[in-house]
Amino acid sequence: MLAIGCDHGGYDLKLAVMKHLDERGMAYHDFGCDGSSCDYPVIAKTVAEAVASGEYERGLLFCGTGIGVSIVANKVPGIRAAACSDTFSATMTRAHNNANILCLGGRVVGPGLANLMVDAFLDTPFEGGRHQRRIDMITELDKR
Ligand code: RB5
């Protein structure tokens, strides 16, 4: 189950990705917004806390660049949010960073590339091994 949210800058891309998720049969909950102007820290915090609580396995966040929502989401302990604009990064942030939120920019990427990145993010397992040690170091930072 995915938690999804956007601000006005990411709204159109969110709709395109939700259509893709529907076609994949992937369940999600949309935390908003409805396309009207809103503040990305509000929705990013909501989605990040929903993922950090364990209620949702992973999240997708959208804003104009993907950067604002990623900055906010990464302030929530337990969240590893990655702003990506290429499929290699979307794949590797799962394989090596065990990222649990993918952040996309509606003014940066089109729906075709975004859907490929979402597929990579959903389908790539965490490799574990030496990467787990590094994730543990990040988790230690969360505890400060
Ligand atoms: C909104 O205009 C824009 O600043 C926001 O969507 C995002 O790109 C911020 O990082």
Side-chain angles (χ1 to χ4, degrees), residues 7-122:
D7 76 353
H8 51 285
Y11 179 70
D12 289 344
L13 189 60
K14 180 183 76 170
L15 291 188
V17 168
M18 288 196 308
K19 181 170 180 287
H20 178 65
L21 294 172
D22 290 339
E23 289 165 0
R24 269 187 65 133
M26 183 77 201
Y28 59 85
H29 179 77
D30 178 18
F31 285 86
C33 74
D34 64 2
S36 48
S37 184
C38 63
D39 298 323
Y40 65 83
V42 176
I43 193 72
K45 175 176 179 286
T46 300
V47 168
E49 288 179 343
V51 173
S53 75
E55 189 177 352
Y56 296 86
E57 187 186 353
R58 289 182 212 163
L60 300 176
L61 281 167
F62 305 83
C63 66
T65 59
I67 296 171
V69 286
S70 72
I71 290 171
V72 175
N74 277 315
K75 292 192 179 298
V76 175
I79 293 304
R80 293 174 300 280
C84 296
S85 53
D86 66 273
T87 47
F88 179 76
S89 298
T91 301
M92 296 311 291
T93 200
R94 284 288 313 131
H96 287 188
N97 312 131
N98 200 12
N100 47 17
I101 297 185
L102 177 67
C103 303
L104 300 174
R107 297 169 184 159
V108 181
V109 297
L113 176 55
N115 288 334
L116 287 174
M117 287 192 282
V118 167
D119 286 344
F121 179 72
L122 295 180

